[in-house]
């Protein structure tokens, strides 16, 4: 076979491989972290081969001259794809836990998820435009490209977070992730209040068979995401911790059913009965809560509304499956009457086991600010 034909064939195989890898990367909740990282490296190797093979075309990208409108659009998309891919390489190293553990200072998981979706959309557009330029059936090609882009956006924005929330069980060593640097908190210690599914859910005995996740397992013991964060603070500061516990019906074992029960509770502004938590003896409360339907779970609302926060500092830490704080900050400000609400951090559920350092850094800042204010 002549060299040109072989290069062409390699080019086609590499292109197909890249699309397949991108799609497999999206279901990393099933493939696991190590395969996700290895495939990530494989993707960028394929990209490098693709760039070498297409170097002549790429060198001409910047010369728009008398290109047709379709060609110009395709070229702009390709330039964008290259730029986003480079940023994606950096962000991938930042979120890598196994292959590139020393780049965690660049680790912004939410950004990584958005970049991955953008790469997928641009890659589909880039491939689609090649076909558009060649084919006579422009209308059909345009519809095809539009559908491909819409599906890609839906995969990145909805399917991936959905799979992640529903099917992920993270295995950790409780003691290892919990222990670390201590913080010398000045003045009266804060109260940590948290809400988690664990303890508020009728889980079946066989935890591995729990349908639906966003859970952590350590030696067969279930640990709620928010419980772990609360315990990290307790371990660092040695302060009181209280769990918000519903006293009526518990939430269903299935994640999906919990989502639907929580949706109904939100719509009717339910305030489930909870074991009372009295914050009156504390100057500061650190509230750790999961985002449910973009805001606080209704038992957390019940806790906030059943206390007087006048003059208290209320530090809030959210955990979530992609929504940041949602509308929870405004909602908490409305519910916790009199509190000085401070946003601390919103932690993506995958990042929870590794977030102790970030939390300690924040705790130290609060202590330092207290010292500065009191002139200690
Ligand atoms: C009922 C329910 C609704 C949720 N809604 C959202 C949401 O709107 N946005 C989001 O990013 N994550 C959402 N999540 C994911 C949780 O916020 C996330 O998995 C959290 O870390 C779970 O904490 P836990 O294990 O302590 O209960 C939802 C989870 C549940 C159970």
């Amino acid at each position: 076979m002549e060299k040109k034909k072989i290069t062409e064939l390699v080019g086609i195989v590499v292109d197909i491989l890249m699309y397949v890898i991108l799609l497999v990367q999206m279901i990393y909740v099933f493939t696991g972290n190590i395969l996700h990282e290895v495939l990530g490296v494989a993707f960028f190797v394929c990209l490098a081969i693709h760039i070498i093979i297409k170097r002549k075309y790429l060198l001409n990208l910047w010369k728009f001259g008398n290109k047709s409108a379709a060609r110009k659009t395709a070229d702009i998309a390709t330039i964008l794809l290259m730029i986003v891919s480079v940023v994606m390489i950096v962000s991938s190293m930042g979120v890598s836990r196994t292959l590139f553990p020393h780049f965690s200072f660049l680790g912004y998981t939410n950004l990584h998820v958005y970049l991955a979706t953008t790469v997928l959309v641009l890659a589909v557009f880039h491939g689609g435009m090649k076909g558009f330029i060649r084919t006579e059936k422009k209308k059909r090609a345009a519809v095809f490209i539009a559908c491909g882009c819409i599906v890609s956006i839906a995969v990145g924005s909805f399917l991936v977070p959905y799979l992640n929330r529903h099917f992920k069980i993270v295995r950790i060593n409780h003691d290892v992730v919990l222990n670390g640097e201590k913080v010398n908190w000045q003045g009266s210690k804060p109260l940590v209040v948290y809400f988690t599914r664990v303890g508020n859910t009728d889980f079946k005995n066989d935890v591995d068979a729990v349908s639906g996740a966003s859970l952590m397992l350590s030696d067969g013991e279930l640990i709620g995401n928010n419980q772990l964060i609360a315990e990290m603070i307790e371990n660092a500061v040695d302060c009181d911790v209280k769990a918000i516990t519903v006293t009526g019906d518990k939430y269903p074992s299935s994640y999906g059913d919990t989502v639907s029960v929580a949706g109904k509770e939100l719509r009717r502004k339910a305030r489930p009965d909870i074991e009372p938590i009295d914050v009156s003896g504390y100057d500061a409360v650190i509230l750790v809560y999961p985002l449910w339907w973009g805001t606080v779970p209704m038992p957390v609302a019940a806790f906030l509304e059943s206390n007087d926060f006048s003059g208290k500092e209320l530090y809030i830490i959210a955990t979530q499956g992609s929504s940041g704080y949602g509308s929870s900050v405004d909602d908490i400000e409305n519910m916790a009457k009199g509190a000085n609400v401070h946003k601390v951090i919103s932690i993506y559920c995958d990042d929870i086991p590794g977030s102790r350092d970030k939390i300690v850094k924040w705790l130290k800042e609060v202590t330092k600010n207290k010292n500065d204010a009191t002139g200690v």
Side-chain angles (χ1 to χ4, degrees):
M1 217 190 293
E2 52 183 290
K3 200 178 156 199
K4 200 176 158 208
K5 280 243 165 85
I6 296 176
T7 315
E8 233 174 63
L9 197 69
V10 173
I12 294 171
V13 172
V14 165
D15 286 0
I16 295 174
L17 252 181
M18 284 202 293
Y19 283 114
V20 173
I21 292 178
L22 260 185
L23 288 174
V24 174
Q25 290 296 67
M26 295 280 167
I27 52 162
Y28 69 93
V29 61
F30 301 120
T31 58
N33 181 57
I34 294 183
L35 188 59
H36 185 74
E37 293 195 17
V38 171
L39 285 179
V41 173
F43 177 80
F44 290 118
V45 171
C46 287
L47 184 64
I49 298 173
H50 179 86
I51 289 174
I52 293 169
I53 293 176
K54 306 280 165 148
R55 61 190 178 280
K56 276 194 193 138
Y57 161 72
L58 294 174
L59 285 173
N60 281 324
L61 268 185
W62 321 88
K63 299 172 194 156
F64 289 108
N66 50 5
K67 286 175 183 172
S68 68
R71 171 65 73 188
K72 278 183 193 157
T73 312
D75 287 359
I76 291 172
T78 309
I79 293 169
L80 281 177
L81 180 57
M82 281 168 48
I83 296 171
V84 181
S85 298
V86 172
V87 184
M88 178 79 185
I89 293 178
V90 178
S91 116
S92 303
M93 288 166 74
V95 294
S96 156
R97 272 174 272 142
T98 308
L99 299 184
F100 305 96
H102 303 298
F103 292 87
S104 56
F105 59 94
L106 297 166
Y108 298 99
T109 314
N110 283 344
L111 178 68
H112 184 70
V113 174
Y114 295 134
L115 285 170
T117 307
T118 313
V119 167
L120 183 64
V121 175
L122 286 172
V124 167
F125 190 80
H126 167 78
M129 283 308 286
K130 266 194 202 166
F132 181 90
I133 290 164
R134 281 186 204 148
T135 184
E136 297 289 309
K137 297 172 181 158
K138 302 283 183 206
K139 261 195 192 156
R140 192 184 286 185
V143 172
F144 189 73
I145 295 172
C147 290
C149 291
I150 292 169
V151 170
S152 305
I153 293 172
V155 165
S157 312
F158 303 110
L159 183 68
V160 174
Y162 176 89
L163 292 177
N164 203 27
R165 287 184 215 157
H166 278 64
F167 295 101
K168 189 147 196 166
I169 292 187
V170 179
R171 276 156 228 279
I172 56 160
N173 183 325
H174 196 180
D175 294 336
V176 170
V177 296
L178 203 62
N179 284 297
E181 195 185 346
K182 310 283 176 197
V183 176
N184 186 12
W185 183 278
Q186 299 297 315
S188 66
K189 298 247 172 111
L191 169 68
V192 179
V193 178
Y194 71 92
F195 178 80
T196 182
R197 274 175 81 204
V198 181
N200 286 300
T201 300
D202 272 329
F203 282 121
K204 293 167 188 144
N205 292 336
D206 179 3
V207 282
D208 267 347
V210 169
S211 62
S214 93
L215 293 169
M216 277 179 277
L217 261 184
S218 175
D219 278 342
E221 181 206 356
L222 271 182
I223 301 161
N225 291 349
N226 293 273
Q227 173 192 351
L228 190 62
I229 299 288
E231 288 176 353
M232 285 174 181
I233 304 172
E234 179 188 26
N235 181 278
V237 178
D238 190 19
C239 56
D240 293 342
V241 177
K242 299 221 164 107
I244 298 174
T245 312
V246 293
T247 52
D249 287 347
K250 299 228 182 242
Y251 290 95
S253 191
S254 143
Y255 184 96
D257 291 348
T258 303
V259 171
S260 97
V261 170
K264 283 183 198 144
E265 284 186 348
L266 178 65
R267 280 192 292 280
R268 60 184 169 83
K269 297 191 171 64
R271 293 294 180 264
D273 290 334
I274 57 168
E275 279 172 16
I277 297 177
D278 182 7
V279 302
S280 60
Y282 300 88
D283 298 335
V285 176
I286 303 174
L287 176 65
V288 190
Y289 60 96
L291 220 61
W292 277 17
W293 286 93
T295 184
V296 292
M298 292 304 100
V300 175
F303 157 72
L304 291 169
E305 288 177 353
S306 63
N307 271 284
D308 179 8
F309 285 89
S310 301
K312 294 190 194 301
E313 308 303 321
L314 180 58
Y315 298 100
I316 58 172
I317 299 181
T319 73
Q320 35 79 20
S322 66
S323 315
Y325 280 101
S327 66
S328 66
V329 182
D330 289 346
D331 295 341
I332 290 172
E333 275 169 351
N334 288 330
M335 290 168 187
K337 294 279 177 266
N340 299 320
V341 179
H342 307 271
K343 268 164 62 169
V344 176
I345 186 171
S346 172
I347 310 173
Y348 184 62
C349 40
D350 279 14
D351 297 341
I352 289 168
S355 52
R356 196 184 189 284
D357 288 351
K358 271 189 203 151
I359 288 171
V360 164
K361 190 168 166 241
W362 163 72
L363 287 167
K364 281 179 165 174
E365 268 165 31
V366 179
T367 311
K368 186 176 172 302
N369 292 344
K370 275 162 134 274
N371 282 348
D372 291 349
T374 54
V376 177

